[in-house]
Amino acid sequence: MGYPIVTVESFNSTALKITQKRYKANPKALEPKKYQHPSYGFKWNVPIWYQEGQQEVKLVWLKRVYLNEKNYFYEILRARRQSYRRFARGVHQQRSTSELQEYLPWSEAIFSLEEVVGKFGNEPESKFAKHYARSLLKTMYDQIDFSYISKHYKDDGLFFEILAAPLRANTYCYGVKEGGHSAFEKVMELYRTENVQLESGHLLRALGCHNDVTSLKTLLLLALDRNTSVIRLQDVVAVFRYVSNNPIGQEFMFNFLIERWSDIYKSLSTEHSIVVGVISACSVGIRSEQQVEQLKQLQRNGLHADEFGEFDKIIEKTEEKLNWIKKHFRKLADFFENQTTSR
């Protein structure tokens, strides 16, 4: 049955996230029919040894889950890797767990929603996908007492009690989006002085939510300006990623990459991995074969662009995405529209 690839990544300043997937030399290869629906979904019980500082080495198990168990978290994670129909079932299951307030499952659910909604880009059908996503998250927002917030929002000591952790990043984002330039400047000020990494990330993400194109481009240029300390070097990729997550940002990010490639390379020429992250973030919104051709031309003719294998990866992934859109877009759009109009 093969063996697993175990991935460990930083989840926040105090926690790690461990996942596993089955190794396949060709990820697209289909299993023989009789093996396509295993009871444990090609998952293993994996022993994990870890050590904190100079303390003793400890053992924990990354356990597989039997698919018949009503495990909402597993279903959401699994749905993200399956077809849009399984995604819908996983999210529907999330709706029945409105009493849960743990950060991790809600964070994964929100990520799954954003991933699928992102496939729609700025197409008119995206309004149905966004409406559906908002309806699923409504249970969390309904638990917030906004009258209490309006009375106590100046009390910094109550901040983390007022706003649930899974909603904090989106709330900051909404504040900048609706608050305009003054909110943008205030969040920038908070970002410069924030020492908690997780909170700093939330604030930085909010800056990318601004509705003003000029301000967003200025933010990108600040990230590239290594003569100032406004944006920390380790946050450069995050800035580009957050702006690219903004539908307004997606409209110009690819052109920014094409037109500003020389500036990007000259600013970050000694930071190969950061340039790779910038290329990736700027390419998120590619939705046409013409843009793929532009990217290929940049790879051939751009300043030292041929040194970055990331272009090949993005071109391959984008071609897969375009095929996905051709295959699933209409069906998924109809699903979201039906779910929206039936309520």
Side-chain angles (χ1 to χ4, degrees):
M1 297 297 286
Y3 56 89
I5 297 177
V6 177
T7 302
V8 181
E9 55 186 319
S10 175
F11 183 73
N12 57 37
S13 59
T14 61
L16 297 174
K17 177 180 173 182
I18 304 177
T19 57
Q20 62 164 298
K21 65 178 180 180
R22 183 189 180 205
Y23 170 77
K24 295 178 70 175
N26 180 3
K28 296 182 180 180
L30 295 177
E31 304 293 342
K33 189 172 182 179
K34 64 179 180 178
Y35 296 127
Q36 287 181 2
H37 303 287
S39 298
Y40 290 93
F42 295 114
K43 294 293 184 293
W44 290 259
N45 290 328
V46 182
I48 305 291
W49 284 270
Y50 70 97
Q51 183 179 28
E52 298 182 60
Q54 299 300 317
Q55 299 180 24
E56 63 177 321
V57 177
K58 298 179 181 179
L59 168 66
V60 295
W61 286 88
L62 177 62
K63 294 186 176 181
R64 63 185 182 179
V65 181
Y66 186 60
L67 294 190
N68 285 339
E69 293 184 16
K70 293 182 179 179
N71 187 309
Y72 73 96
F73 184 43
Y74 177 82
E75 287 298 323
I76 290 173
L77 291 177
R78 187 167 183 268
R80 206 169 71 204
R81 297 190 295 271
Q82 302 298 330
S83 69
Y84 71 91
R85 293 184 185 277
R86 291 188 180 181
F87 164 81
R89 286 203 298 271
V91 175
H92 272 303
Q93 192 168 18
Q94 177 66 52
R95 300 188 73 175
S96 66
T97 62
S98 59
E99 73 280 1
L100 294 171
Q101 297 186 25
E102 288 83 358
Y103 182 88
L104 186 58
W106 271 106
S107 176
E108 288 294 337
I110 291 172
F111 182 86
S112 300
L113 287 168
E114 290 177 342
E115 187 176 43
V116 173
V117 172
K119 298 286 188 182
F120 286 80
N122 293 323
E123 298 298 324
E125 292 85 352
S126 65
K127 65 180 181 181
F128 297 114
K130 293 174 182 177
H131 185 279
Y132 181 72
R134 283 195 295 269
S135 70
L136 296 179
L137 299 175
K138 187 175 183 296
T139 54
M140 282 289 285
Y141 281 94
D142 285 344
Q143 296 177 39
I144 299 176
D145 185 349
F146 287 99
S147 63
Y148 183 79
I149 292 176
S150 66
K151 294 177 182 178
H152 299 87
Y153 72 95
K154 292 185 178 180
D155 187 347
D156 292 338
L158 294 175
F159 179 76
F160 290 97
E161 298 178 17
I162 291 175
L163 195 58
L167 303 179
R168 196 166 294 137
N170 286 340
T171 303
Y172 294 166
C173 177
Y174 181 80
V176 171
K177 186 181 298 184
E178 296 298 319
H181 183 71
S182 60
F184 180 86
E185 291 297 324
K186 178 62 177 178
V187 171
M188 175 65 81
E189 178 185 341
L190 292 172
Y191 164 75
R192 290 180 177 181
T193 59
E194 181 57 59
N195 294 320
V196 178
Q197 183 177 353
L198 182 61
E199 190 69 6
S200 174
H202 291 334
L203 294 167
L204 193 61
R205 175 185 173 184
L207 292 173
C209 296
H210 201 2
N211 285 327
D212 182 64
V213 172
T214 300
S215 295
L216 291 175
K217 288 185 177 181
T218 300
L219 182 62
L220 297 179
L221 293 175
L222 278 175
L224 293 178
D225 186 358
R226 304 322 310 153
N227 294 321
T228 67
S229 58
V230 176
I231 304 296
R232 295 169 295 190
L233 182 62
Q234 63 265 35
D235 289 337
V236 170
V237 174
V239 169
F240 276 79
R241 187 179 300 123
Y242 294 144
V243 174
S244 72
N245 288 339
N246 184 337
I248 294 175
Q250 276 195 20
E251 289 294 314
F252 66 78
M253 286 294 284
F254 181 69
N255 287 337
F256 187 92
L257 175 67
I258 299 297
E259 297 168 2
R260 298 271 188 172
W261 169 253
S262 294
D263 296 331
I264 293 170
Y265 178 79
K266 291 175 182 178
S267 173
L268 303 168
S269 59
T270 61
E271 304 292 341
H272 187 91
S273 62
I274 295 180
V275 177
V276 167
V278 169
I279 295 170
S280 177
C282 289
S283 304
V284 168
I286 298 179
R287 296 182 60 84
S288 71
E289 295 177 356
Q290 291 82 358
Q291 289 175 314
V292 173
E293 287 303 316
Q294 284 182 277
L295 197 62
K296 291 179 179 179
Q297 290 180 17
L298 175 61
Q299 183 185 27
R300 289 193 298 267
N301 305 321
L303 179 65
H304 293 283
D306 58 352
E307 298 175 3
F308 295 90
E310 185 67 12
F311 284 110
D312 292 316
K313 295 179 183 178
I314 291 173
I315 290 168
E316 181 180 355
K317 288 181 179 179
T318 302
E319 289 174 341
E320 289 181 1
K321 181 173 77 172
L322 294 177
N323 289 332
W324 187 97
I325 291 173
K326 291 178 182 178
K327 184 177 180 180
H328 295 298
F329 182 88
R330 189 68 266 154
K331 293 179 181 178
L332 194 52
D334 290 342
F335 168 79
F336 284 131
E337 183 174 3
N338 290 336
Q339 291 294 316
T340 300
T341 56
S342 63
R343 293 194 177 108

